[in-house]
Every structure is written in structure tokens, then in C-alpha cells.
Amino acid sequence: MQQRSSRIALAIWSLLVIAFLWFPLVIIGLYAFNSSNVQGWPITSWTLHWFSVAWHDPDVRSAFWLSIRVALATTGIALVLGTMAAAAVARYRFFGRDTVSFLFVLPLALPGIITGISLLRFYDFAGISISIWTIVIGHTTFCVVVVYNNVVARLRRSSPSLVEASQDLGADGWQTFRFVLWPVLSTALVAGGLLAFALSFDEVIVTYFTAGAQETLPIFILDNIERGQQLPVVNVVALFVIAVTAIPVLLAQRVMRDSGIIRRGPAQVTEAVEAAEIPAV
Amino acid sequence: MAVDAGAFEAGSPGRRARLRLSGLFWRRPWLKALALLTPPLAAFLIVYIGALVALFISSFWSINSFTAEIEHTWSLANYRLIFDTSQPYLDIAKLTIEIAAAVTLTDAVLAFPLAFFMARLASSRTRALLFVMVLLPLWSSYLVRVYAWQTILAHDGVINWALNGMGFGDLNLAYTNWAIWIVFSYVWLPFMVLPIYAALERIPESYLEASADLGASGLKTLRSVILPLALPGIIAGSIFTFSLTLGDYLTPLLVGGTGSNFIGIEIYRFIGDSNIPLAGAYATIPIAIMGVYLLLARRAGAFEAL
């Protein structure tokens, strides 16, 4: 049906768009090895020097640990809240059910600056002083939806009668969770958690407003870009941030693909197979 | 039955309590739904919606020009200032909306053929590879990607170097609205590819065969079958491209000029002047636009495509 020429045109277009997507990432990767501290192109001499400078920089180190702590705490809270909400929405019909999904998407759809100043006003109203937890709360607002989406999708594909069967066989709530729900949900939770981690780790706008004087890695980058200082170190840190977020994303994609969420064959077929899939307990 | 009821109650007191709880939840499903939903929803309503309300309330207050303290006297002064046509704020909002629309259109044009190729033409191996190639830029730091463009567009950056090499003069894109348009289109592009891909992948092959059997040309099938079915995906993508552009301030701050006026930049400046009430009032414009946009998108079935 498709003509050969239009197939080739589409392939070339796709290649160009992918090249466009990767071009800036490659450029910033190359600048990390630039020995000059002037950001000019072409790069004339190469060095690993800035990696060692960044590694020994105490500001970079403390920013890195703060980012890790924030991302871990955010991921933990988002997993619990997102899973609970997903379980309620996927399994029960109630008034305002559609509104819940709508509400959870809001923090992703509304600009970060609005979330940021709103939270700042809220902390002020509520008398909450700035700490690592004010950042975590900010990040949790938009990370919950990532877990929620993954878990809702998974629950919709599994049969609710599994839980009833487990109860009929005398399992208590914990056993049902551990031996029935967990095998069904585990990959969705792992993937959701990894994505929430990645999202939190490199978030900058909401962090900017909720962090006060604390410096996460993205805030470190922003500060130095704005002042035009330490740009060679910024390049190294930027490359590092890309790498750190790429790992959980690749892992999440792998986990979900093996369990069939990212579908390989025609959708209808895989979906039918998945609907019939009974997890090994 | 040889099994007596007590056998189910066997075990530690903790287990017995858990069993009773499971039974209670089974008999009253609404109780379980309530128990599951209350903590996340309450947390969300109190913190997020509460925060939006806090900002909204603040927008009716004002700021003391001497002490920079917020004065809790109610007035519409901030809104009057923003909707005053002799002030620049409405024009800035208009320009922002235009750029957001241009970015959305650009991304749809760039993304559709790629999504189509991924969903319907590529082998499963190529598709998996392309998927990762789109996914990684989507998740890699937004700030880093904008920063990369700052260096690329700079006077002695890659673009001017390439142009000079080809015998052209410098193209001073840095710090213009063109730069803002390019960078926004770039950073939100993956958000457009994935929902369109998901929508296209769901179209059954038989629809396309039926269209061809009925004598439709490839172009006719594209227009009458594929595009209408892909529309929810395009709208789902546009939620991100449009709304993220609407309120962003980092891209105009880093690659836009000093004269680049954007809703996000203005809000950022108001906050810099500690004038949170005015920032809150101006923020209602993108919130209102997005609220309407989300409602329309939901009606068009875009949420199923997210």
C-alpha cells in the first residue's frame, strides 16, 4: 500500500528528527572534554582535567548528595501515594473518579513556576520553614502521577478476581499483597519508581522556589550558567546529570518491555495475551 | 465440610486482625476505596490545590512599596494593572500564546512522520531503538538541554561556525525570539512524539486495508482515516508543548534576549521584586488558559492517549 518512495522519505525524516534530538546532547558531551575554559567551537584541544576538578569540588559533591537524598525520599513517597490512588481508581467506580486522574495530571501540565511560587506561598501560610522536605514535597506533587499512571495501566490489565481468589483461599491482606498483588505490580512499581527518581533528580524550576539557599545539582548548574562562572565544571556536571537520569530510564524501559507494557507486536494481540496472563504465584 | 470455621481464624492475633480487616474491606468495597484514596488525595488537595489557592488569595493583596511586606488588604488592583491595555502585560501574554502555538505546530509537524514511521513501518528492532532514542532526550535534564542550545546558538557556537564554513555570514540567533522558538520546539518535541506514536499504534491494520480496498489513495487514507484517529494523540502531545511553553521562564531567560517578554519571565521578575501578589495575579492567565485547554482536551479524548 505504501509506496517505496514515501517509505524512504519517512525514514529520512525520522533520521533527521532523531539527529535533531541528539545533536545538543552530543555537543554538551563534547564540551565536557574541552581544555579551554572559553566555550567556543570548534574545540581545539581535549582534556580530562575538568572531570577531576568537578570530582574534587565540594560544592558539586554536596549538591550531588542533596539531589540523591531528595530523589530517594520523593520516590518513596510517590510510590506509596501513587499506588494507593491507582488501586482505588482502577478497581472502584465512584463519583468524581475521572476528576482524580485529571487532578494528578495538573502538576505536570501547569508550569513549574506556578507550582513553585504556590508552594512557597503555602509554606509561608502554614508556617513551614525551608528544609530538604520542602523540596521533597514540591517534587512529590509531580512525581506521584508517574507512579500512578504505571500502576493504573497495570491494574487495568490484571483481573480483580485474583485478589478474591486469594482471600477465598484464606490469605490475609498482607499475604494477598505479597503473593498476589506484588508479582503483578512489581515491574510497574519499579519502572514508576525509576522514572520518578529521574524526574526528581534533574528538576530545576520547582526546586529553585522550594529550596531556599540549598543547592541541588541542577540548581548548581543554573547558578553557574547565570553567572557565567565555572562553565567547564558545569559541562562535566551536565554530562553527569544526563548519564545519571539515563540509567534509571533505560532500566525502567527494559523492565516494562520484558513485562510487555511497551508493546512489540500489534497492540491488540499483546493486549489479549496480557489480559489472559496469570502470574505465577 | 470437615473444615470448621475456626481453622480460618487460626494463627497469631495479628493475622486474625488482618483477616478480619480483609473481610471488612471485602464486604464494604467503598470503605476500601476510601481508605486507599484518602491519604493520596488529601495530601494532594491540601498541599497542591491548597498551594494554588494560597497563591490565588495572595493575588488580591498588595505589597508595601517601602517595606516590601505583603499587606493583607483586599483589592483588585493587581488585576486592573494586568488587564490595563496601556500596560505591556496583555501584549506579552499574546506573544507568549503565539509562540506556544507556533511551538505546538512545529512539534506536531516534526513528530508525526517520525511517530508514523515508528508505529507502522519500522521493524520491531528499529522501533525499540527509536523508542529509546526519543525517550532518553525526553527524560534528560531540561536545564542541560537549554544550556546546550545556549552554547550552540552563541556567537562563536556551532551554528555560526558551520555557516561560516559554508561561506555564509553569521546568523545571530542567540537572544532572539527565533532562538526561543527553536529551543522550545526542541525541548518539548519528545512529548509530542510519544502520544502520537501510541495513538497510531492502536489503529488496526484492517482499517487501512479497508480504506485501500474501497479505492482510497494513500493521501486520502491519511486524511480520512489515520489523522482523525491520531488526533487524540496529537492533542495529548499539545497539552505539554503548549502549556509548558506558556509558563516557562528558563528558556527565554537563557536563550532569549533582554527584551524577550514572556509570561514566565514577567512572573519571575515580579517574584524577584518580591511582588508575589502581582505574580499570583499574572499567573492566573496561564492557569485559566490551561484549565480551558485541559477541559477541551479531555472532551476530545486526549487523556486516554496520554
Side-chain angles (χ1 to χ4, degrees):
Chain A
M1 189 202 69
Q2 259 95 26
Q3 283 166 347
R4 199 180 151 73
S5 58
S6 60
R7 275 170 183 260
I8 293 171
L10 279 170
I12 291 173
W13 184 273
S14 302
L15 211 63
L16 288 176
V17 173
I18 294 286
F20 176 58
L21 280 175
W22 281 81
F23 165 65
L25 298 180
V26 171
I27 295 293
I28 209 69
L30 291 176
Y31 269 122
F33 300 94
N34 183 8
S35 66
S36 161
N37 47 21
V38 182
Q39 306 268 85
W41 192 269
I43 295 171
T44 46
S45 58
W46 306 83
T47 179
L48 285 171
H49 171 65
W50 303 113
F51 282 83
S52 127
V53 174
W55 176 257
H56 293 292
D57 188 323
D59 290 344
V60 173
R61 285 189 168 206
S62 70
F64 170 72
W65 286 117
L66 181 63
S67 285
I68 292 281
R69 292 206 315 269
V70 168
L72 285 177
T74 302
T75 306
I77 300 172
L79 276 174
V80 173
L81 295 181
T83 309
M84 289 174 90
V89 167
R91 285 283 185 262
Y92 304 96
R93 315 207 145 271
F94 50 86
F95 177 73
R97 198 181 71 147
D98 293 340
T99 317
V100 174
S101 309
F102 184 75
L103 275 179
F104 284 133
V105 179
L106 265 188
L108 275 189
L110 282 186
I113 191 169
I114 292 175
T115 307
I117 43 170
S118 299
L119 284 169
L120 202 58
R121 286 309 295 153
F122 174 75
Y123 296 149
D124 194 45
F125 268 104
I128 299 170
S129 53
I130 297 297
S131 69
I132 176 173
W133 293 106
T134 52
I135 312 178
V136 171
I137 292 171
H139 286 193
T140 305
T141 58
F142 54 79
C143 284
V144 166
V145 70
V146 182
V147 177
Y148 170 85
N149 278 346
N150 271 295
V151 177
V152 161
R154 179 61 54 87
L155 283 174
R156 290 211 170 121
R157 283 150 198 253
S158 70
S159 162
S161 55
L162 286 175
V163 171
E164 290 182 4
S166 161
Q167 288 179 333
D168 286 349
L169 293 170
D172 62 37
W174 164 248
Q175 288 168 320
T176 302
F177 177 78
R178 171 68 189 82
F179 297 110
V180 178
L181 280 177
W182 175 251
V184 174
L185 289 182
S186 57
T187 51
L189 288 175
V190 170
L194 286 166
L195 294 178
F197 183 91
L199 202 57
S200 165
F201 187 80
D202 63 19
E203 208 284 335
V204 63
I205 296 181
V206 175
T207 317
Y208 179 86
F209 291 100
T210 53
Q214 306 167 84
E215 216 168 46
T216 63
L217 221 41
I219 297 287
F220 171 86
I221 296 177
L222 180 61
D223 259 10
N224 285 294
I225 295 174
E226 277 196 294
R227 282 186 274 145
Q229 286 175 346
Q230 302 192 62
L231 290 182
V233 174
V234 168
N235 292 336
V236 172
V237 174
L239 183 61
F240 178 74
V241 169
I242 292 176
V244 168
T245 39
I247 293 163
V249 171
L250 284 174
L251 283 175
Q253 206 259 351
R254 167 134 300 198
V255 163
M256 291 304 260
R257 193 182 58 194
D258 289 346
S259 62
I261 286 287
I262 291 165
R263 283 153 273 151
R264 275 174 284 191
Q268 322 76 290
V269 179
T270 5
E271 226 144 34
V273 172
E274 266 164 20
E277 176 187 289
I278 297 161
V281 180
Chain B
M1 289 294 271
V3 183
D4 71 310
F8 285 103
E9 294 277 323
S12 64
R15 177 173 151 80
R16 244 173 287 155
R18 288 202 297 272
L19 277 172
R20 229 170 270 138
L21 195 66
S22 305
L24 179 72
F25 279 148
W26 184 80
R27 280 190 299 276
R28 293 186 181 75
W30 58 269
L31 198 64
K32 188 172 176 186
L34 199 70
L36 281 170
L37 199 58
T38 306
L41 202 61
F44 192 79
L45 286 177
I46 292 171
V47 174
Y48 189 71
I49 304 298
L52 286 178
V53 171
L55 183 68
F56 189 62
I57 291 174
S58 303
S59 73
F60 294 99
W61 292 343
S62 60
I63 190 156
N64 186 309
S65 48
F66 290 107
T67 61
E69 296 277 316
I70 292 175
E71 289 186 345
H72 298 196
T73 45
W74 301 89
S75 86
L76 286 171
N78 293 323
Y79 288 94
R80 249 183 249 124
L81 184 70
I82 277 158
F83 289 104
D84 185 343
T85 44
S86 65
Q87 297 286 333
Y89 303 116
L90 279 183
D91 288 338
I92 291 172
K94 190 164 152 272
L95 177 74
T96 309
I97 292 167
E98 282 166 4
I99 290 192
V103 167
T104 302
L105 200 67
T106 310
D107 279 345
V109 170
L110 288 176
F112 191 88
L114 170 63
F116 188 85
F117 183 78
M118 282 169 72
R120 308 223 64 109
L121 298 178
S123 66
S124 62
R125 237 189 136 82
T126 316
R127 179 186 310 163
L129 183 69
L130 287 175
F131 205 88
V132 170
M133 299 288 271
V134 174
L135 213 57
L136 284 181
L138 169 73
W139 288 91
S140 68
S141 169
Y142 152 77
L143 172 67
V144 168
R145 288 183 293 147
V146 177
Y147 168 59
W149 275 103
Q150 198 185 29
T151 66
I152 290 167
L153 295 169
H155 184 70
D156 51 358
V158 180
I159 290 197
N160 278 344
W161 172 80
L163 285 173
N164 292 341
M166 289 186 285
F168 296 104
D170 282 356
L171 187 64
N172 286 315
L173 284 172
Y175 311 115
T176 63
N177 283 344
W178 291 106
I180 294 178
W181 170 66
I182 293 171
V183 176
F184 272 138
S185 300
Y186 170 77
V187 287
W188 311 136
L189 179 58
F191 284 101
M192 188 60 104
V193 177
L194 295 179
I196 298 182
Y197 165 78
L200 287 174
E201 201 205 22
R202 277 188 214 134
I203 302 175
E205 191 65 37
S206 56
Y207 285 24
L208 307 186
E209 283 164 7
S211 173
D213 286 349
L214 292 170
S217 65
L219 214 60
K220 174 82 179 154
T221 305
L222 178 69
R223 218 165 41 117
S224 311
V225 181
I226 298 174
L227 270 182
L229 288 171
L231 195 63
I234 299 174
I235 296 174
S238 76
I239 292 175
F240 291 100
T241 56
F242 188 77
S243 88
L244 294 175
T245 308
L246 208 56
D248 190 79
Y249 74 94
L250 271 181
T251 295
L253 193 73
L254 294 180
V255 302
T258 41
S260 70
N261 294 314
F262 238 72
I263 294 181
I265 284 275
E266 287 304 316
I267 294 176
Y268 181 70
R269 284 191 192 129
F270 292 149
I271 299 166
D273 301 337
S274 318
N275 199 341
I276 290 190
L278 192 53
Y282 206 32
T284 53
I285 291 183
I287 292 178
I289 295 171
M290 275 329 292
V292 173
Y293 200 92
L294 284 175
L295 287 174
L296 290 176
R298 192 168 69 155
R299 187 162 295 176
F303 280 19
E304 308 301 316
L306 277 181

